[in-house]
Structures are given as C-alpha cells and as structure tokens.
Amino acid sequence: MQPNILFLVTDALRIDHCSTYGYERETTPAMTRLAEEGVRYNNAFAPSIWTPTVHGAIFTGKYPSHTGIYANSLGIPDELETLSEALKGQGYRTFAASAGAHIRKSRGYARGVDEYVETRRINPDLGFAQKVLSDRSFAKQVGLSLTRGPDDKTWYKYDRLKRFIDDAADDGEPFFGFINAKTAHQPFNPPRPYKQMFTEGLERPRWEFLERTIEALGGKAQDHPGYDIEKLRGVSHSGGDGVFVGDVEMTDEEWAVIKAWYDGAVRYVDDRISDLMDFLESRGVYEDTMVVVTADHGDNFGDHGGLTSHIFSLYDSLLHVPLVIKPPRSDNGSEVQPAETAPNGQEINNQVSLVDLYPTFLETAGGPVPNYRLTESLLGFEDRSYHDYTFAEYAGFDGPIKRLRRKYPDFDAEQFARPLQSVRSDEHKLIVTGSPEEECERELYAWRDDPDEERDLLGEQPEVADELLAVLRETLDPLDNSGEFEVPEDEGLEEQLKDLGYL
C-alpha cells in the first residue's frame, strides 16, 4: 500500500524561534523528534510571505506569477490541478482544514478533498448550537475556548484529523491530511498555560470566561507588572501597525514580552503535533506515514528598522522557514525508501523551496512528477544542489493598504503598493521592488554569510545584482494583474480577516 502523507503547517512560524534549529527556548520538541527520525532542511524558503500566495504555490506546484495566485486574485484557477486532486487521483483518501478565511472552499481548496473542515468564529447563534450538538470535536473546542482560551480552532482541526485517520486506518486506505494551524499568528494570545509558559510575571484569570467577563465590565483582564499591558496587547493584536507607521515606540524589553507570548503559541501548536504523533503510533500507522512539518512564512518583530507582521517585504525573517520530513519507515512496496535506507537525523544545507513539496508528495504517492522546471522532488533526501536559483514573490494586497489608510490617514500607505520579487543563488539574494522590466529598486545580500540581511552589497557588487536580475527576468512573469479587492460576503469570514489583521 502507498505510504500515508501528513502535511502540517504552523502559520507565521519563524525558523529562529524553533528549538529544532537552535533556539534557546524549547518551543518545538515534536518537530525535533521528527527531525531526529528523518530530515531537517536548514535552508528551506517560502515562495511568498503570506498564507494565500504560499499555499497557492504549494497546492499547484508553481510560483505565484506563473499561476496568477497573488495580490487580490487568490483563488486556484479551475484549469490547475490541486495537490489534493492529484493525490485523490492516486487513490488517497483526503482531508483538509481551512486556514482562517484564506484557505477556503470558494478558492478551490476543497477540490479533491473527501473531508473538508471549515472553521469559523465561534458565535452564539443557531448554527453554532447545531454545530455543538452535531460535532463532538467542535463541542470540545468550545469548552477549551471558554476555559483555557481561544487557539484559532487548532485543537478542533487536529481532533478532526485524528477522527479522519481513524476511519481511513479502519478501512485500510492510504490517506493525505493537511492542516494549517494559526495559533502562532497574531494576536499572540495562546490558551492557558502557554501564554505564561515563557512569560514570567504575566497575570491572568484562571478561566477564559472570567477574563472575558472582566473585560466586558471594563476591567484589566491581564496584567504584567512593570509593563504597559494594554500597549503590548495592542501591538500584538494589531500586528504592530502603530510600530510600522512610527506612531508607537517599542523597547527591546517590550518586544521580548511579545516574543515570549509568540513562543508559547508556537509550543502550543507543536504539542498538538506531538499528540497527533502519539495517536498515529496508537493506531499502528506511524511507521507507514510521511510527516511533513513546515511554516508558510515567518513574522517581523521590529526587524529591518521597524517592520512588523508579514507584509511589504521579502526579507528572510519571512521567507526562511523550518522544514522537517519524517519519511515512512516500512517497506510497503512503494518507491519511497524503506526503513533500512531512509535517513535518520539527516541535515540538508542546500536551498530548497516549499514549491518542491508538490512533486515530493506526488512521487511519494507513486504518481507522475509534474514537468515544471523550477521544482524538484526532495525524495532521496540527499544534500545535493536541488536548484541553481529559488524565487519569492509578493504583489501586495489591498486589505493592509486600506487598513493602514483608515487607521493612519496621514501615513503614506500607497508607497507600499508595489510588487516585490526575489531571486536567490547559492551565495546571493537579490530583492527587486517595482517591475524588474523597468527602473526598479534593488537590494543584494550574501544570505549565507549575512542571514539577518544587514549589509546591502549592491554598491560593492553591482555585477552580481545585474546577473541575478537577468535570471529573474528570464524566469518569472511580471506581477501586473492584481485582480479586484475581495471582501467576503460571509460576515464570519470577513470578521476572521479582521481578526488576522488583513482588513
């Protein structure tokens, strides 16, 4: 039988906040376990910097400018086969959970999916009551949210995935499961005890419903003596808009608190992965399952002179992501390496792109690898040169521009309504702002020697920048079709986008 495949994405996870990659806090022990049993990619890069365009690239196996999935055009075109459709065609039972308001049915992500889980805000209406009565996973999620605090439905998604795996295992069918978990995304308010896990001195009520009652009565529901807690919560909930426009100043100590909240959220998601691995073992399918753990992008905490959130830049604080693959460990007749030859604790230092996951999954399933010259299957798990170049693209999105204009009318948000593209060789990375076919701004970094991208080498090595610009022009298409700005007609989806800082 073909190996099972699990694709687990922690949204907005910075690689330098993963203990798997040397971070001092133990934020990702489950990821570390998987790396020790498989492969850790030290230089994996996202093809864009926010959820819709990254997932669009992964689920089609192509860069954004080659599919049109960027800016305001975020649905998967009908003519492109999705990852789920391709695996369904190879005989897999398929599962996917929506990622907030981004990865949803209307954008094509339910195509080829046997069990598609939509997640919405918890609102006390008739639909909510019916959901509680009909879905025990949702009922448990509500109980968790009211007692320990919200987790953006991460617990619900993982519990539904376990139920799906249970059924597939009973029927003896190979399965594919996808989850994007958003707990580590702003507002960095993970459930108890995770917000306090790395934040000594943070005070909050024992139960979430008490916290909400205190807030409704105008009281201070959380406190951190020595800090302006409302300022910190405002920055974390807004994604740092005030910091970005220069209206709010943050000290290193204040950023350290927000990072501690973020780290707690990362650990929360990692613990859900750990629970899932235990479940796979209990069902006897762990050895037969390929587990891929990654992030769609990182986040900014005042990086590069005050950048916040994950918009308006192509720096590696957003593009450099963790990627760990635990191969199947049993010889089940597939083309995937069996236990005696599969890697164990392997590290790969050559650059790969998350777009490479599409052919990797298809080859794992025994299907044909797509003929797209910019991706390669990662199977073989060798530290070889997969690519001469990898790329990233961002064409903006009207939501953040309009949000900043509404909140800060004196701030020139329009200056950021320009496309960004980057090309990375084995040594250098070029960032282009504006159309690369016209006069454009350029930045050049030696990304291996200068991972924080602090030294722009454009003035010292213009010939390298020229060479990379030529490669970019020859390879990518212009980002010139932004589409129409879409506000969902569904009020629940619109509120989710507001919660996540996109409207």
Side-chain angles (χ1 to χ4, degrees):
M1 190 177 80
Q2 298 147 296
N4 309 307
I5 301 171
L6 291 179
F7 179 34
L8 310 176
V9 178
T10 298
D11 203 293
L13 173 56
R14 287 178 61 131
I15 190 171
D16 59 357
H17 279 250
C18 298
S19 53
T20 308
Y21 289 84
Y23 188 51
E24 63 270 17
R25 289 175 175 148
E26 193 174 16
T27 51
T28 57
M31 185 191 295
T32 299
R33 169 194 170 181
L34 293 168
E36 290 172 347
E37 298 179 10
V39 191
R40 188 183 84 186
Y41 294 83
N42 293 331
N43 291 303
F45 297 96
S48 190
I49 59 169
W50 70 311
T51 300
T53 48
V54 174
H55 284 77
I58 295 173
F59 273 75
T60 62
K62 294 180 172 64
Y63 281 100
S65 64
H66 292 164
T67 63
I69 306 173
Y70 59 83
N72 300 319
S73 299
L74 300 174
I76 299 176
D78 292 339
E79 64 271 18
L80 294 178
E81 185 177 49
T82 69
L83 174 62
S84 302
E85 287 177 309
L87 292 174
K88 180 70 174 173
Q90 293 300 315
Y92 278 71
R93 185 184 290 194
T94 54
F95 171 97
S98 66
H102 288 315
I103 311 305
R104 62 180 192 257
K105 287 183 179 179
S106 64
R107 289 181 173 169
Y109 287 93
R111 285 161 34 194
V113 178
D114 294 311
E115 186 173 331
Y116 189 81
V117 176
E118 288 272 19
T119 56
R120 304 293 182 90
R121 299 174 96 238
I122 296 178
N123 294 315
D125 54 19
L126 179 60
F128 165 83
Q130 293 174 337
K131 187 75 170 174
V132 169
L133 293 174
S134 63
D135 186 341
R136 68 176 185 269
S137 295
F138 187 76
K140 292 176 181 178
Q141 175 71 68
V142 172
L144 182 147
S145 296
L146 290 175
T147 55
R148 296 173 59 189
D151 68 347
D152 213 335
K153 319 302 183 304
T154 293
W155 195 95
Y156 174 64
K157 293 176 185 179
Y158 272 87
D159 197 61
R160 285 293 299 267
L161 176 58
K162 287 191 286 188
R163 290 167 55 187
F164 164 82
I165 292 171
D166 215 20
D167 291 339
D170 284 344
D171 294 338
E173 291 184 296
F175 57 80
F176 166 74
F178 159 72
I179 282 179
N180 172 294
K182 301 190 81 69
T183 310
H185 193 288
Q186 66 186 63
F188 314 135
N189 188 42
R192 296 156 181 79
Y194 291 88
K195 191 169 186 176
Q196 295 162 297
M197 180 175 286
F198 304 114
T199 315
E200 184 177 354
L202 177 65
E203 300 172 358
R204 66 186 309 190
R206 183 176 181 181
W207 307 111
E208 176 69 14
F209 63 84
L210 291 178
E211 184 170 301
R212 296 192 181 192
T213 300
I214 292 170
E215 287 182 336
L217 295 174
K220 184 182 291 187
Q222 295 184 22
D223 198 12
H224 196 340
Y227 294 90
D228 183 342
I229 190 68
E230 295 308 319
K231 173 185 176 182
L232 296 181
R233 294 185 73 189
V235 169
S236 69
H237 279 251
S238 71
D241 284 349
V243 179
F244 178 74
V245 304
D247 191 56
V248 176
E249 293 186 5
M250 290 281 288
T251 66
D252 290 343
E253 291 76 16
E254 289 172 323
W255 273 124
V257 173
I258 289 180
K259 290 177 182 178
W261 297 349
Y262 171 79
D263 291 343
V266 171
R267 176 59 181 268
Y268 176 79
V269 178
D270 189 83
D271 281 353
R272 303 287 69 73
I273 295 173
S274 179
D275 290 344
L276 179 61
M277 297 307 101
D278 291 344
F279 176 78
L280 293 175
E281 289 185 320
S282 72
R283 282 306 326 252
V285 295
Y286 182 77
E287 298 294 318
D288 297 331
T289 302
M290 170 183 278
V291 182
V292 177
V293 176
T294 189
D296 52 354
H297 54 76
D299 220 327
N300 282 313
F301 299 111
D303 301 81
H304 297 283
L307 291 180
T308 56
S309 191
H310 41 275
I311 51 178
F312 306 144
S313 76
L314 288 180
Y315 294 118
D316 281 354
S317 53
L318 303 183
L319 293 176
H320 193 188
V321 293
L323 174 61
V324 167
I325 298 179
K326 193 281 294 180
R329 287 284 170 186
S330 60
D331 188 358
N332 50 25
S334 77
E335 296 298 320
V336 182
Q337 291 170 307
E340 62 269 18
T341 59
N344 196 342
Q346 171 85 350
E347 291 187 30
I348 291 179
N349 292 308
N350 281 289
Q351 61 169 328
V352 300
S353 170
L354 293 188
V355 186
D356 293 324
L357 292 176
Y358 188 94
T360 302
F361 290 144
L362 291 192
E363 187 176 2
T364 299
V369 176
N371 183 23
Y372 180 70
R373 66 185 180 88
L374 300 181
T375 61
E376 285 196 41
S377 169
L378 303 179
L379 290 195
F381 307 114
E382 301 167 337
D383 194 13
R384 57 185 171 86
S385 179
Y386 290 88
H387 301 285
D388 292 330
Y389 307 99
T390 59
F391 304 87
E393 307 181 271
Y394 176 70
F397 170 59
D398 285 349
I401 298 290
K402 292 186 176 183
R403 185 188 74 238
L404 290 171
R405 189 191 305 138
R406 182 180 67 250
K407 293 170 65 175
Y408 304 97
D410 295 331
F411 179 73
D412 179 19
E414 300 299 327
Q415 64 182 301
F416 298 101
R418 296 186 295 171
L420 299 166
Q421 292 178 308
S422 72
V423 53
R424 186 188 311 267
S425 68
D426 190 56
E427 296 181 2
H428 293 93
K429 172 186 169 187
L430 178 72
I431 302 174
V432 174
T433 303
S435 172
E437 304 299 327
E438 302 171 0
E439 186 173 345
C440 54
E441 298 176 15
R442 300 186 294 173
E443 300 170 62
L444 181 69
Y445 299 98
W447 62 273
R448 288 188 184 273
D449 298 331
D450 178 22
D452 294 327
E453 297 169 308
E454 295 177 331
R455 184 182 178 188
D456 186 349
L457 300 175
L458 182 63
E460 301 175 36
Q461 302 182 43
E463 70 285 354
V464 174
D466 290 342
E467 292 173 3
L468 290 175
L469 181 60
V471 171
L472 191 151
R473 286 171 171 168
E474 293 170 359
T475 307
L476 300 180
D477 291 339
L479 298 172
D480 56 3
N481 179 20
S482 62
E484 295 296 324
F485 176 62
E486 174 196 2
V487 176
E489 296 180 2
D490 187 306
E491 290 186 8
L493 292 176
E494 184 177 354
E495 289 303 314
Q496 280 187 329
L497 285 172
K498 289 178 180 179
D499 289 345
L500 296 171
Y502 293 115
L503 294 179

